[in-house]
Amino acid sequence: MAIRFTLPTSPMLKIDPSLTPAALRSKLDRFWALTADKVRRLQREYDPSKGSPVFTVGGKYTSRGWTEWTQGFQFGIAILGYDATGEEDLLEFGRRCTLELMAPHVSHIGVHDHGFNNVSTYGNLRRLMLEGRIPHDAWQLHFYELALKISGAVQAARWTRHAQGGYIYSFNGPHSLFVDTIRSCRSLVLAHLLGHKFMGEGDKPISLIGRAVGHARSTAQFSVFYGEGRDAYDVWGRTAHESVFNINDGAFRCPNSQQGFSGFTTWTRGLAWAMAGFPEELEALDLVADADLEPFGGRAEIEAFMIKAARATCDFYIANTPVDGIPYWDTGAPNLHRLGDDILDRPAEPFNDWEPVDSSAAAIGVQGLIRLGRWLERRGEKADGSRYFQAGLTVLARLLEEPYLSTDPAHHGLLLHSVYHRPNGWDSIPAGCKVPAGESSMWGDYHIAEVALLAGRLATDKPYYTFLGNPDRSGRAVDL
């Protein structure tokens, strides 16, 4: 049964019901031409001995030691660029760097980022081979799949049990559940679909799909709010960046935030991770056998909590984002009120004096809107599905034009006005500005490329783009 909720009618994202993927073709062509040039420039100008590129300062990528979670995005952008343009040097760069530099990420036991680093590289290369976009080589395919199997198992091993289930804990430690990690569940799902057997102490098998579902359930339960009175700030669809647990007794203690303003406001990139993560897991469940899901609640129950979380977060985004679909970095940022009561009635202002926008949140979240819309439409919920799908296209159209698209050939980035860690003050503030603006991030650049590829395929007869590739080995690309 469909779940429907009453949302505000104004202000909110102004959805263009007439947009189609095909109508974005010229913008997408321009985007991919810029992508190819910027991948090559970064390859020439960035010194990898400095660490992984994270965000730009003065238009040039720099590193920032916190966790190693962005290197796979750099090489993944090149691989996606090849997918869209067929330019062989992009493939060669992405493939060579995956081979030479990505192995430490496969075995990295200290992070919650395997879905970011490894699915973006090994996963995309595997997908291209299975789609026939690159020559088939059995041992090369085995190499990609072995990396993905081990990555999924290493990520699943980073596990904390709580009173009602469990979760993949963040780099903060066993007490910490991040909303971001819902997008790393794809590494577990992919390893499961590849038939990997994850073994624990005493040779006991551990279900990879079970842990993926368990983590998603914990995220839906504790990271997403539903207007059900959990606290004084509980509204439909808001998210908390971090959920904190007492690891002695497994009790949930409080919401918190590392990169947002507080545990009681919504950091919009965290919201976007949930928006993207739940719909892509719903798509993945279509390829998981009922028998594999039954021990963990069964398909109906699992789909129900995922649909609720996906709808809630996407609805919150639509209702709490300016009319052009680009959010500010946190919906409770302390100086938003200085931008006026009509802040959501007009396009976002990246060069304002009070609070930065975060285009990377839009680039991540837009994929969730499109995927949720398509998933619902294919199940007969045409009106709701169309609303989310058109919202996604509306946001994407805005991201693919100035001032968000980076057209300066000297600037390393693709997507401007991205924010990393506002509370820590890590983001560059240009001369003459009072808040961060005009810079790019690896996750913003990767995710605008990923959703551009998705939209481009929807505009043609090419297979629907997912992280899954071709898990059934049938010789066809997965078309959900």
Side-chain angles (χ1 to χ4, degrees):
M1 178 181 296
I3 304 172
R4 290 181 170 80
F5 300 87
T6 301
L7 293 169
T9 57
S10 180
M12 62 168 63
L13 164 62
K14 187 176 181 181
I15 299 171
D16 183 347
S18 68
L19 268 179
T20 64
L24 299 178
R25 288 288 291 274
S26 62
K27 289 185 175 184
L28 292 169
D29 290 343
R30 182 191 190 200
F31 171 82
W32 289 118
L34 288 167
T35 298
D37 289 344
K38 288 174 181 287
V39 167
R40 294 176 183 123
R41 177 176 287 275
L42 185 60
Q43 182 182 357
R44 292 194 306 268
E45 297 183 355
Y46 186 77
D47 180 1
S49 68
K50 296 179 179 179
S52 303
V54 179
F55 56 83
T56 63
V57 175
K60 306 301 179 185
Y61 262 108
T62 62
S63 62
R64 163 64 72 170
W66 200 27
T67 64
E68 285 286 338
W69 72 289
T70 60
Q71 193 164 38
F73 291 148
Q74 180 189 5
F75 310 142
I77 293 167
I79 296 165
L80 295 177
Y82 165 78
D83 192 342
T85 67
E87 298 191 32
E88 292 283 345
D89 65 306
L90 303 183
L91 171 65
E92 178 54 29
F93 172 67
R95 186 162 49 189
R96 174 174 55 80
C97 291
T98 297
L99 174 63
E100 295 176 356
L101 298 172
M102 290 305 296
H105 299 289
V106 174
S107 59
H108 198 331
I109 65 173
V111 297
H112 55 270
D113 303 319
H114 281 250
F116 299 144
N117 270 316
N118 299 316
V119 178
S120 302
T121 48
Y122 299 100
N124 274 321
L125 289 166
R126 171 183 175 272
R127 176 183 57 78
L128 286 173
M129 185 169 289
L130 293 170
E131 290 177 350
R133 302 296 310 285
I134 59 178
H136 183 86
D137 179 280
W139 277 105
Q140 193 177 145
L141 181 61
H142 290 324
F143 170 71
Y144 299 144
E145 293 188 343
L146 179 60
L148 292 164
K149 290 175 181 179
I150 301 306
S151 174
V154 170
Q155 189 71 105
R158 194 175 172 83
W159 191 251
T160 292
R161 302 182 190 281
H162 61 74
Q164 297 165 279
Y167 55 88
I168 300 165
Y169 60 89
S170 83
F171 67 81
N172 269 356
H175 65 287
S176 171
L177 163 63
F178 273 11
V179 70
D180 321 22
T181 313
I182 184 65
R183 197 119 206 271
S184 261
C185 284
R186 56 186 184 163
S187 64
L188 280 69
V189 173
L190 195 47
H192 169 81
L193 289 170
L194 288 170
H196 187 56
K197 293 183 179 180
F198 177 36
M199 307 295 285
E201 300 293 336
D203 290 339
K204 292 181 180 178
I206 299 170
S207 171
L208 288 164
I209 196 66
R211 289 214 164 166
V213 168
H215 180 87
R217 181 181 282 109
S218 293
T219 302
Q221 181 177 357
F222 297 105
S223 303
V224 183
F225 290 74
Y226 303 100
E228 296 170 348
R230 278 179 57 190
D231 59 34
Y233 305 97
D234 184 348
V235 297
W236 173 253
R238 89 164 189 88
T239 56
H241 180 199
E242 183 178 39
S243 299
V244 177
F245 293 81
N246 181 335
I247 61 173
N248 292 322
D249 64 4
F252 170 74
R253 298 305 303 158
C254 64
N256 190 34
S257 188
Q258 298 295 312
Q259 290 169 267
F261 178 62
S262 84
F264 299 99
T265 63
T266 294
W267 173 51
T268 52
R269 180 148 50 89
L271 172 72
W273 291 129
M275 291 169 63
F278 284 108
E280 74 175 0
E281 295 307 324
L282 283 167
E283 290 179 337
L285 287 182
D286 290 344
L287 299 175
V288 178
D290 288 346
D292 291 342
L293 298 175
E294 196 59 36
F296 310 105
R299 183 175 301 279
E301 187 271 338
I302 294 167
E303 285 189 350
F305 80 71
M306 287 192 181
I307 293 167
K308 182 179 180 182
R311 283 183 181 271
T313 52
C314 288
D315 287 346
F316 185 91
Y317 187 96
I318 291 170
N320 292 277
T321 300
V323 292
D324 63 349
I326 312 301
Y328 291 87
W329 74 281
D330 192 300
T331 61
N335 286 309
L336 281 182
H337 69 282
R338 296 181 180 272
L339 292 171
D341 293 339
D342 62 344
I343 183 174
L344 300 184
D345 288 322
R346 60 183 193 270
E349 300 171 16
F351 293 105
N352 77 83
D353 288 341
W354 298 107
E355 297 289 358
V357 303
D358 188 1
S359 62
S360 73
I364 297 161
V366 66
Q367 192 169 161
L369 290 165
I370 290 172
R371 292 191 186 279
L372 177 60
R374 189 174 184 277
W375 194 90
L376 290 171
E377 284 186 341
R378 290 170 67 86
R379 281 152 183 79
E381 296 189 45
K382 301 294 186 182
D384 284 358
S386 176
R387 177 172 177 268
Y388 294 121
F389 188 83
Q390 294 303 134
L393 293 182
T394 301
V395 179
L396 179 56
R398 180 60 171 151
L399 290 171
L400 292 173
E401 61 189 19
E402 291 91 344
Y404 298 103
L405 184 65
S406 175
T407 57
D408 179 357
H411 196 295
H412 284 170
L414 280 167
L415 184 67
L416 300 178
H417 310 301
S418 177
V419 171
Y420 187 14
H421 204 313
R422 180 64 173 148
N424 276 3
W426 287 352
D427 299 279
S428 176
I429 300 176
C433 294
K434 295 182 179 180
V435 299
E439 302 293 356
S440 301
S441 67
M442 265 296 146
W443 56 92
D445 287 0
Y446 178 82
H447 284 88
I448 187 64
E450 197 171 64
V451 75
L453 184 66
L454 172 62
R457 289 197 169 195
L458 288 169
T460 66
D461 59 355
K462 292 181 179 178
Y464 181 67
Y465 169 69
T466 78
F467 71 89
L468 297 161
N470 185 10
D472 64 1
R473 298 181 180 276
S474 64
R476 61 175 177 80
V478 169
D479 189 11
L480 300 172

